[in-house]
Amino acid sequence: MSGDGELVFRNICPRNCYGTCGMLSYVKDGRLIKVEGDPQHGYTKGRLCLKGYAYPEYVYHSRRLRYPLRQYPRGSGQWQRISWDEALTAISEKILELNTRYGSNLALSYNKFSGNLGFLHQAVEGMFNSFGPHTKAIGDPCLAAGSDALVYDCGEATGPDPESMAEAELIVIWGVNPAWTAVHQLHFIEKARDRGVPVVVIDPLFTATAAKADLYLQIQPGTDGLLALAVLKILHEEEKLEQTAIRDYISGWEPFEAYLMAKIDLEAAAEQIGIDAAGIRELAVLYARHHPAANWVGFGVQRHANGGQTVRAVNALTALTGNLGVKGGGLFYCYLAGQNFAQTISQVAGPVPNRLINFNHFPQEALKLQDPPLKFLWIASRNPLSQDPAVKNWEKLIAQLEMVVTVDLFMSQTAEKSDIVLPASSHFEELDLNTSFWHRWVGINEPAIPPFYEAKSDLQIARELTARLNELAPGFSAFPSHLSPEDWLDQEFTPEILRLLGIDSWQDLKKAPRKLPVHLNPWQDRVFKTGDKKFSLYTKEGKAKNFPALPRYKSLSAPGEYPLRLLTPQHLNRIHSQYSTLDSLNPDEESNSIEIHPRTAGSRGITEGDWVSVYNETGSGLLRARLNPTLPVNVVMAYQGGGKPINSLIPALFTDMGVKSTGNTGLAFYDVFVNIEKSRGEAHA
Ligand SMILES: Nc1nc2c(c(=O)[nH]1)N[C@H]1C(S)=C(S)[C@@H](COP(=O)(O)OP(=O)(O)OC[C@H]3O[C@@H](n4cnc5c(=O)[nH]c(N)nc54)[C@H](O)[C@@H]3O)O[C@H]1N2
Ligand SMILES: Nc1nc2c(c(=O)[nH]1)N[C@H]1C(S)=C(S)[C@@H](COP(=O)(O)OP(=O)(O)OC[C@H]3O[C@@H](n4cnc5c(=O)[nH]c(N)nc54)[C@H](O)[C@@H]3O)O[C@H]1N2
Ligand SMILES: [Mo]
């Protein structure tokens, strides 16, 4: 309790973001009045991003969903408020009717990703598991190729504690924009800079992070692999590679060296990368002079057809310069700390022989299903009509489905196309456990305020829906609907986890988040979880999986009719499509723009503020031109999310890797080519 009858609670931001920030929420008379950073959180250290501070506006937003709604006919915009009782009965009756019609639950599926990454939101997976065999989507649209690159080379997708980046002597940021997407990491980067440590940023876009760099290399998208190989060739010729590493814990050096010497030519590489050879040499000099070097590989780097091989080339550079397993150095990509927990709620009823489809090709594959066709879809923590490639296919799929239920806090583009929309609670309204995909801090998210109107958590909805199903058809669901959120958390905190965290019970985390001291400096013993226990430059599995055994560079050129590369990175003030409703963060005038180099615009008669038509074989969209002289002339850029028609231009293109760690290849969101012309008419924006 602070002054004035205010109560203070600990929350954790559950968004799909590097920070997973510790927050303090101030509550008066049951109302969230202010959110601050939790100073006890050792990674986020009492600071939040703008989106975090704006949570009171988000929670009480006039457009937040209050009640269950039903739309008839679907897509008509004619919404009717219904009671939870009606909603649960209508959904249950449909599920049971489909089960009777087809003799199984294979006509049912769900699509869930990253709206809220809290553990108890895995109740959605648990609920579907409790129905027995159903249609399940496998894959990851975000990080698949890079994860596989780590698995092939190092035996597991892990990386050092990001706090240790502060101890690096050189920091090289390959395609990450932490000034926008991982703001807390800047603290650790700045700590190193205070000691004079050089920071390099490699990015086709001159980002806010690039603006801070000591050396900025503006490369052509998808060419990082070639850059890493060119640097390696220079270092090899100058005898600057770490010979003990090659001797003791790296395998495949001979074929790798042969490839480097035969195929990598500095001048030709510089041309393709789009920078001077001097820039490549400068980077090589930095690696030769400074040790340990931290290589941070962002997710943007692997959103390309050759994304996995690109990450493997940077892995090779890290290993051959002796930077793996050295405190302060290493390869930073991501580490899913949740894997240390049992995640029991997602595994209700044990393994189920599901009918599997590709998450990254969901509507296309779902449309092909027969015996039975897909008829029922549950959408939670997900806005595919904004975030998926080839969004038009979603409209086709929805047309064939008999019932679409979306659980969300807002009327997203996907909710708008649903039959039933159920209001989700915000994380301030529920208990949860949160870990990060980046740092090692673990926190409890306390319920701080009562649910907003009739909103319910995904867990509460799973409990009530499975109970209703079992009332109507005893034994239909094996979901233990009697278990409370506290019961589920009890199962996660095993004696081993409690010991590692240094606490007696999970309730202790209400006093402060704690750090899980695991994988802080992986590979410090230079033993890898690969077949021969060495770092693999040469991956035998590659051939069988359709990529070369060595991290070879493969170029990609623009098709003639669509000469401009479209990059659609993340926006500072959104998380994907989220927060676009917050006017204070996302003013209208920003939301429909595409950035173009003045020369590219000029050659098409386009000036600042003109409406332009952006098009390719997949689709088209009308956007407002913003001239940006810092872009490469052949690159145009529009931030994803925010209600733009951008994903209708993005085909479902796949990365080279991803199957091993996520079940399917990832998405090459950044290998998209378009053309642009000045639009004759004004957009009805
Ligand atoms: N504010 C904010 N923060 C976020 C998110 C958000 O939406 N908004 N989303 C979260 C999520 S889910 C994710 S996955 C992360 C993603 O965050 P990041 O890891 O930063 O990834 P991206 O924004 O996809 O791309 C980062 C940079 O990669 C560059 N890039 C594109 N292609 C290449 C290339 O071939 N080589 C190089 N060197 N650079 C390239 C882009 O220009 C961009 O500046 O951010 C998380 N944090
Ligand atoms: N063009 C382009 N597209 C991209 C990318 C890109 O770089 N370019 N990046 C891709 C990446 S990296 C990612 S991670 C994906 C993200 O794809 P999604 O996970 O679909 O992203 P969001 O837009 O964050 O949608 C999450 C939805 O969940 C809702 N939500 C929030 N909390 C809860 C909750 O507690 N319960 C329920 N039921 N719903 C909740 C939110 O309101 C929101 O509508 O997008 C991908 N799409
Ligand atoms: Mo992501």
Side-chain angles (χ1 to χ4, degrees):
M1 173 96 62
S2 73
D4 304 334
E6 269 176 23
L7 296 171
V8 186
F9 296 90
R10 285 215 139 72
N11 290 94
I12 301 284
C13 184
R15 301 281 92 88
N16 185 4
C17 183
Y18 290 91
T20 314
C21 299
M23 305 190 299
L24 296 178
S25 51
Y26 291 79
V27 175
K28 196 168 178 188
D29 302 327
R31 201 174 161 87
L32 179 70
I33 51 173
K34 183 176 73 176
V35 176
E36 282 183 348
D38 179 355
Q40 305 265 36
H41 192 290
Y43 180 76
T44 59
K45 295 179 183 288
R47 306 183 194 93
L48 298 176
C49 73
L50 268 181
K51 301 177 289 296
Y53 290 115
Y55 267 126
E57 184 185 346
Y58 170 96
V59 166
Y60 301 111
H61 199 281
S62 59
R63 280 156 71 185
R64 213 180 131 189
L65 296 168
R66 300 176 175 193
Y67 310 105
L69 298 170
R70 187 163 201 166
Q71 175 176 229
Y72 188 80
R74 185 196 291 151
S76 65
Q78 292 172 34
W79 292 96
Q80 197 193 343
R81 177 178 163 189
I82 55 173
S83 67
W84 271 102
D85 192 53
E86 285 170 292
L88 295 173
T89 300
I91 297 166
S92 300
E93 283 175 349
K94 188 74 210 177
I95 290 175
L96 296 173
E97 191 253 301
L98 289 169
N99 177 281
T100 309
R101 195 192 311 167
Y102 296 116
S104 79
N105 290 323
L106 295 179
L108 316 178
S109 192
Y110 64 96
N111 193 286
K112 172 175 180 261
F113 199 58
S114 70
N116 182 317
L117 295 179
F119 274 51
L120 299 188
H121 289 262
Q122 295 173 13
V124 179
E125 288 88 334
M127 173 170 82
F128 272 82
N129 243 22
S130 81
F131 301 158
H134 55 276
T135 298
K136 184 177 166 79
I138 303 285
D140 186 305
C142 177
L143 47 72
S147 296
D148 263 23
L150 277 156
V151 172
Y152 284 119
D153 295 349
C154 305
E156 60 189 318
T158 181
D161 178 4
E163 295 172 41
S164 70
M165 211 184 271
E167 291 161 60
E169 290 299 326
L170 168 67
I171 298 175
V172 184
I173 302 177
W174 301 76
V176 202
N177 183 13
W180 281 26
T181 61
V183 291
H184 300 285
Q185 191 59 27
L186 292 185
H187 168 76
F188 301 97
I189 294 173
E190 291 299 334
K191 262 178 104 167
R193 281 177 73 123
D194 288 346
R195 293 186 288 108
V197 168
V199 175
V200 181
V201 171
I202 301 164
D203 198 309
L205 302 178
F206 184 68
T207 61
T209 309
K212 292 172 179 288
D214 299 289
L215 173 64
Y216 166 52
L217 297 178
Q218 183 164 47
I219 65 166
Q220 281 293 313
T223 62
D224 307 70
L226 187 56
L227 175 60
L229 294 167
V231 168
L232 274 167
K233 177 151 188 188
I234 295 170
L235 293 173
H236 180 44
E237 284 174 346
E238 296 182 359
E239 299 183 359
K240 296 279 170 41
L241 293 182
E242 182 69 42
Q243 293 307 315
T244 53
I246 295 174
R247 194 189 59 217
D248 297 342
Y249 59 88
I250 292 178
S251 67
W253 168 247
E254 288 76 18
F256 185 83
E257 184 199 20
Y259 168 64
L260 217 52
M261 298 318 282
K263 300 282 183 202
I264 304 299
D265 171 76
L266 188 60
E267 291 301 327
E271 170 106 26
Q272 287 200 56
I273 297 166
I275 60 175
D276 288 345
I280 305 180
R281 286 197 182 281
E282 208 175 330
L283 184 58
V285 168
L286 286 171
Y287 278 109
R289 281 204 191 134
H290 302 278
H291 200 263
N295 281 317
W296 183 2
V297 177
F299 300 114
V301 169
Q302 47 97 61
R303 301 194 211 288
H304 295 276
N306 63 349
Q309 288 293 63
T310 300
V311 178
R312 287 190 65 213
V314 184
N315 292 349
L317 175 58
T318 315
L320 288 163
T321 48
N323 279 303
L324 281 181
V326 186
K327 191 145 192 238
L331 201 281
F332 296 75
Y333 179 64
C334 75
Y335 172 68
L336 306 178
Q339 63 189 280
N340 293 290
F341 289 81
Q343 309 190 7
T344 44
I345 197 166
S346 65
Q347 288 147 30
V348 167
V352 173
N354 290 312
R355 176 167 70 170
L356 302 180
I357 59 170
N358 184 346
F359 187 90
N360 289 335
H361 215 210
F362 190 95
Q364 295 85 340
E365 290 196 6
L367 275 164
K368 285 197 205 125
L369 295 174
Q370 293 300 327
D371 301 327
L374 198 71
K375 289 292 175 189
F376 175 97
L377 185 60
W378 183 273
I379 294 170
S381 268
R382 181 79 175 117
N383 188 4
L385 271 94
S386 167
Q387 294 310 117
D388 259 7
V391 288
K392 282 213 179 82
N393 288 305
W394 269 98
E395 289 171 22
K396 280 189 219 148
L397 173 63
I398 287 175
Q400 119 164 0
L401 296 171
E402 291 180 18
M403 185 179 274
V404 181
V405 179
T406 296
V407 186
D408 206 305
L409 290 88
F410 292 93
M411 188 61 85
S412 67
Q413 289 92 331
T414 310
E416 273 174 2
K417 299 278 192 269
S418 309
D419 301 284
I420 294 182
V421 173
L422 302 175
S425 49
S426 75
H427 62 287
F428 298 101
E429 297 150 43
E430 60 193 34
L431 179 68
D432 215 335
L433 160 66
N434 298 75
T435 55
S436 159
F437 62 71
W438 179 240
H439 61 67
R440 308 294 188 268
W441 289 78
V442 176
I444 287 294
N445 176 75
E446 293 183 279
I449 50 171
F452 183 73
Y453 292 83
E454 292 187 6
K456 294 182 197 285
S457 70
D458 288 292
L459 170 56
Q460 188 58 24
I461 296 171
R463 294 174 74 186
E464 293 183 17
L465 181 61
T466 53
R468 178 62 49 90
L469 280 161
N470 284 341
E471 268 166 47
L472 297 174
F476 184 84
S477 159
F479 194 82
S481 53
H482 59 284
L483 293 186
S484 67
E486 288 81 359
D487 294 333
W488 286 110
L489 289 197
D490 287 343
Q491 299 193 30
E492 294 300 324
F493 287 83
T494 57
E496 175 64 2
I497 289 280
L498 293 171
R499 187 187 64 76
L500 283 168
L501 290 171
I503 52 175
D504 297 324
S505 105
W506 60 262
Q507 310 280 352
D508 291 344
L509 293 177
K510 293 182 182 172
K511 289 181 231 139
R514 289 275 181 140
K515 187 170 178 175
L516 198 64
V518 290
H519 284 244
L520 297 181
N521 185 11
W523 311 307
Q524 57 185 333
D525 52 4
R526 305 316 203 299
V527 177
F528 298 84
K529 290 199 172 139
T530 50
D532 61 4
K533 301 202 163 37
K534 292 184 172 183
F535 176 92
S536 309
L537 288 171
Y538 184 94
T539 296
K540 290 197 192 79
E541 268 183 82
K543 288 241 159 58
K545 300 271 163 56
N546 274 329
F547 60 84
L550 292 169
R552 287 173 193 271
Y553 171 71
K554 204 163 121 196
S555 67
L556 180 75
S557 41
E561 333 74 293
Y562 307 113
L564 303 171
R565 165 118 36 182
L566 171 67
L567 292 182
T568 54
Q570 343 271 331
H571 192 273
L572 171 65
N573 288 339
R574 294 191 288 274
I575 293 286
H576 305 294
S577 69
Q578 301 189 64
Y579 302 95
S580 19
T581 39
L582 269 63
D583 301 336
S584 69
L585 299 184
N586 289 286
D588 267 358
E589 63 267 23
E590 180 272 339
S591 70
N592 266 327
S593 59
I594 183 158
E595 297 187 10
I596 312 171
H597 190 277
R599 252 196 289 152
T600 310
S603 66
R604 290 165 172 77
I606 295 166
T607 53
E608 172 79 18
D610 282 350
W611 285 101
V612 294
S613 160
V614 187
Y615 58 94
N616 60 15
E617 273 166 3
T618 308
S620 65
L622 223 43
L623 294 164
R624 209 188 261 286
R626 298 270 169 239
L627 303 195
N628 179 351
T630 71
L631 287 173
V633 285
N634 64 331
V635 172
V636 293
M637 194 279 294
Y639 297 112
Q640 52 151 312
K644 281 182 213 185
I646 265 308
N647 280 34
S648 57
L649 288 155
I650 296 189
L653 297 170
F654 299 101
T655 56
D656 47 356
M657 295 178 199
V659 178
K660 206 170 166 94
S661 47
T662 69
N664 273 305
T665 50
L667 284 168
F669 277 113
Y670 298 166
D671 275 349
V672 175
F673 296 93
V674 298
N675 208 345
I676 289 194
E677 62 188 41
K678 189 168 168 164
S679 158
R680 263 158 270 143
E682 268 251 323
H684 306 285

